[in-house]
């Protein structure tokens, strides 16, 4: 049995918030260890946000070049070199790894590469990747083990060895026909990218719309954008069986309202949701409880049900975005120091990085209906934003929800060029509690996308309450 090593804080899993917390505490002289089984820096820079956006950008370049003639530039036949796409992404990851290793060094935090599990209330045993074990005890433990792609229980699916986002981002060749199971954010981003690289792509979604939680008009607009690029989208298509092998020949049989259909392709990507990495980490030892879906139960201060054990990020049900995990870090940092920060009073925006992107913050129309909350809604097609007359980026719209009782902005959705950046302006106004007429009447630089705020907010119906 290895000897126990004592730390102020042990972080299990180097997720996005956990590593920041470790570096912060390390810089303040605390003795901190981080246990990571595979990815220096966690999934975001290694297999999720950064690599996917890196390849999406390559796909956007391919799309622009393919359509260059529309803008007056003649090109020869456009062909994507997936080896170079992959190589560019790998170069970025190498830079990320170097950045992270330097941050560990500068902060004095020890990074242990191995798989950790609780063996006591505040004791973590690490099976080191290089062999051997170490036993760490912390005054506090922070769990930041993240989640992984769910592989649903469909006959033949596991045997078909489908890609998850991890393997899809490792492809250095072009699939001839990529079948994507799941029309959520990950599936939709990848579907558009691979189509733009040159693959035939079919998205299979069991529900009635893509991105099930979005407003129907948002989802429909994205479907239209994909369809115009010849991405096949099957809605209300429930996969019932899979035959063959991804990477060779694979077929998915789907049940649709009009009967069964067989979709044949070369590669199969599963993008049907996430499962928390909480099953095999000995959570019984400290008495950390899970909810019905396997996520760690935390209070709004991010304390688990075990004293001195905190949780951060996707493993405890925080919204599945890096910026949510990063904000969890700020909450735990302050609460560890005796503060009173909470998760239930924060505004978490998100962006789906399709082209054009979808950005959303605050209340959606669907949520307002569910809550029976009276709101005023204004919409503006992107074709009415003057900038798009110059760029031809006319797809999409801006939509704003304003309180029916006063002039507060409650929510904003946008599909359009620079949607994420434009949304940040609205988010700032929401945080500041700025009444919408201030934005409507602001002088916004011509010819920017945000110039659309004038006509958008001018469309807000007058208050009747
Ligand atoms: C394809 C894809 C694209 C995405 N794009 C975006 C985006 O554009 N923007 C955005 O905000 N979010 C995006 N996300 C979501 C984002 O990646 C996550 O929300 C983010 O990484 C936060 O995760 P986390 O902090 O919970 O943990 P993670 O970053 O997942 O880290 C958890 C770490 O714990 C390690 N671990 C697990 N168990 C153990 C164990 N027992 N011992 C040791 N180590 C362990 C794992 O190896 C992993 O490195 C994307 C996700 C995917 C899949």
């Amino acid at each position: 049995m290895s000897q126990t090593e004592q730390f102020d804080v042990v972080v299990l899993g180097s997720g996005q918030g956990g590593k920041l917390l470790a570096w912060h505490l390390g810089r303040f002289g605390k003795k901190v260890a981080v246990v990571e089984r595979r990815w220096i820096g966690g999934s975001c820079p290694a297999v999720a946000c950064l690599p996917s956006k890196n390849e999406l950008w390559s796909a956007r370049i391919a799309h622009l070049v393919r359509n260059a003639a529309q803008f007056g530039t003649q090109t020869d036949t456009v062909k994507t070199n997936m080896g170079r796409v992959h190589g560019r992404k790998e170069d970025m990851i190498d830079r990320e790894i170097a950045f992270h290793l330097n941050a560990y060094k500068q902060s004095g935090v020890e990074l242990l590469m191995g798989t950790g599990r609780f063996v006591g209330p505040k004791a973590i045993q690490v099976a080191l990747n290089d062999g051997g074990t170490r036993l760490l005890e912390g005054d506090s433990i922070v769990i930041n083990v993240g989640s992984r792609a769910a592989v649903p229980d469909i006959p033949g699916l596991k045997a078909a060895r489908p890609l998850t986002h991890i393997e899809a981002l490792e492809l250095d060749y072009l699939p001839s026909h990529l079948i994507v199971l799941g029309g959520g954010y990950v599936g939709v981003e990848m579907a558009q990218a691979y189509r733009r690289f040159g693959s035939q792509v079919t998205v299979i979604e069991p529900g009635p719309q893509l991105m099930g939680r979005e407003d129907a008009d948002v989802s429909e607009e994205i479907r239209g954008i994909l369809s115009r690029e010849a991405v096949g989208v099957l809605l209300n298509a429930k996969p019932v069986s899979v035959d063959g092998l991804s990477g060779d020949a694979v077929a998915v049989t789907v049940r649709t309202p009009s009967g069964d259909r067989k979709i044949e392709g070369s590669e199969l990507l599963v993008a049907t949701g996430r499962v928390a990495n909480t099953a095999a980490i000995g959570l019984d030892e400290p008495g950390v409880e899970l909810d019905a879906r396997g996520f760690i139960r935390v209070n709004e201060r991010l304390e688990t049900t075990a004293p001195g054990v905190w949780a951060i990020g996707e493993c405890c049900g925080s919204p599945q975005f890096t910026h949510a995990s990063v904000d969890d870090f700020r909450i735990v940092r302050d609460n560890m120091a005796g503060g009173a920060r909470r998760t239930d009073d924060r505004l978490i925006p998100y962006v789906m990085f399709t082209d054009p992107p979808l950005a959303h913050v605050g209340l959606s129309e669907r949520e307002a209906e569910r809550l029976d909350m009276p709101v005023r809604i204004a919409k503006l097609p992107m074709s009415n934003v003057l900038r798009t007359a110059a760029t031809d980026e006319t797809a999409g719209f801006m939509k704003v929800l304003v309180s029916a009782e006063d002039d507060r902005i409650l929510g904003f959705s946008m599909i359009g060029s620079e949607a994420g950046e434009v949304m940040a302006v609205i988010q700032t106004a929401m945080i500041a509690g700025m009444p919408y007429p201030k934005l409507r009447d602001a002088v916004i630089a011509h010819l920017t996308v945000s110039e659309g705020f004038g006509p958008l907010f001018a469309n807000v119906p007058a208050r009747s309450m």
Side-chain angles (χ1 to χ4, degrees), residues 137-415:
E137 203 157 54
D139 295 339
S140 301
I141 306 280
V142 180
I143 310 171
N144 188 197
V145 290
S147 69
R148 63 183 182 281
V151 179
D153 199 10
I154 298 166
L157 177 57
K158 279 202 183 78
R161 303 187 58 190
L163 310 167
T164 68
H165 60 98
I166 297 176
E167 296 80 23
L169 289 165
E170 286 302 306
L171 293 181
D172 55 5
Y173 64 91
L174 197 62
S176 57
H177 183 176
L178 178 69
I179 303 174
V180 179
L181 276 193
Y185 308 92
V186 172
V188 167
E189 281 185 358
M190 297 288 242
Q192 188 186 44
Y194 272 92
R195 179 69 199 124
R196 288 180 166 198
F197 286 139
S199 297
Q200 186 186 340
V201 178
T202 306
V203 179
I204 296 175
E205 167 55 46
Q209 66 170 55
L210 294 172
M211 298 112 55
R213 269 180 262 169
E214 295 297 335
D215 289 346
D217 55 352
V218 169
S219 165
E220 189 48 31
E221 186 72 17
I222 294 289
R223 198 191 59 78
I225 288 165
L226 294 182
S227 295
R228 285 195 290 281
E229 294 187 24
V231 175
V233 177
L234 292 176
L235 300 177
N236 295 307
K238 186 177 177 307
V240 287
S241 65
V242 179
D243 298 294
L245 201 60
S246 175
D248 179 19
V250 65
V252 181
T253 302
V254 292
R255 187 143 298 155
T256 75
S258 55
D260 285 4
R261 276 184 67 180
K262 197 171 193 173
I263 315 301
E264 294 180 346
S266 57
E267 268 75 14
L268 178 61
L269 167 67
V270 271
T272 52
R274 312 284 302 170
V275 182
N277 290 325
T278 52
I281 54 172
L283 291 177
D284 287 349
E285 292 285 345
V288 170
E289 288 174 15
L290 301 179
D291 68 14
R293 293 165 53 236
F295 291 88
I296 293 171
R297 228 185 259 288
V298 284
N299 61 17
E300 64 289 337
R301 291 169 47 79
L302 293 173
E303 291 162 320
T304 69
T305 47
V309 181
W310 305 75
I312 283 180
E314 295 196 0
C315 67
C316 64
S318 287
Q320 296 182 342
F321 308 109
T322 286
H323 44 279
S325 184
V326 168
D327 191 54
D328 285 359
F329 143 63
R330 300 190 294 200
I331 289 173
V332 172
R333 174 197 63 195
D334 292 0
N335 290 344
M336 269 184 168
R341 284 188 64 170
R342 307 167 61 93
T343 51
D344 54 0
D345 59 359
R346 57 186 181 177
L347 197 55
I348 302 218
Y350 55 84
V351 176
M352 177 174 73
F353 289 87
T354 42
D355 178 23
L358 156 67
H360 176 80
V361 63
L363 192 71
S364 69
E365 209 175 332
R366 185 184 286 265
E367 284 161 352
E369 274 162 23
R370 186 174 55 80
L371 299 169
D372 204 14
M373 186 186 279
V375 288
R376 290 179 284 162
I377 298 172
K379 255 175 106 167
L380 183 77
M382 289 307 291
S383 53
N384 284 17
V385 176
L386 208 44
R387 179 167 178 78
T388 67
T391 62
D392 283 355
E393 295 172 300
T394 50
F397 56 81
M398 295 183 186
K399 176 163 73 169
V400 69
L401 273 70
V402 171
S403 166
E405 294 161 7
D406 54 35
D407 287 342
R408 277 173 310 134
I409 304 168
L410 301 179
F412 178 75
S413 299
M414 174 174 166
I415 298 166

Side-chain angles (χ1 to χ4, degrees), residues 2-131:
S2 20
Q3 228 178 349
T4 307
E5 301 170 60
Q6 195 64 40
F7 288 85
D8 293 313
V9 178
V10 177
V11 181
L12 179 58
S14 74
Q16 306 319 300
K19 69 191 178 194
L20 295 178
L21 181 70
W23 299 341
H24 165 82
L25 294 170
R27 286 188 192 110
F28 278 84
K30 298 280 186 198
K31 192 176 176 205
V32 184
V34 173
V35 183
E36 169 56 45
R37 65 184 177 192
R38 192 160 172 199
W39 294 305
I40 296 167
S43 61
C44 169
V47 291
C49 327
L50 277 146
S52 62
K53 269 78 254 186
N54 182 292
E55 295 206 353
L56 261 54
W57 189 257
S58 287
R60 181 160 194 259
I61 303 292
H63 180 74
L64 287 174
V65 176
R66 196 170 284 121
N67 292 286
Q70 179 190 345
F71 302 94
T73 295
Q74 298 295 334
T75 54
D76 289 335
T77 312
V78 178
K79 193 165 173 285
T80 296
N81 175 347
M82 284 304 291
R84 178 64 201 126
V85 169
H86 179 251
R88 176 175 168 269
K89 184 218 58 168
E90 290 294 292
D91 290 347
M92 180 199 70
I93 292 176
D94 287 347
R95 292 192 296 274
E96 284 298 315
I97 290 172
F99 163 81
H100 281 82
L101 290 176
N102 187 49
Y104 279 105
K105 195 168 157 201
Q106 296 296 323
S107 59
V109 172
E110 186 175 1
L111 173 65
L112 286 82
M113 294 306 292
T115 301
R117 64 188 306 275
F118 281 89
V119 289
K122 289 189 185 170
I124 303 280
Q125 189 178 58
V126 187
L128 297 166
N129 291 351
D130 289 342

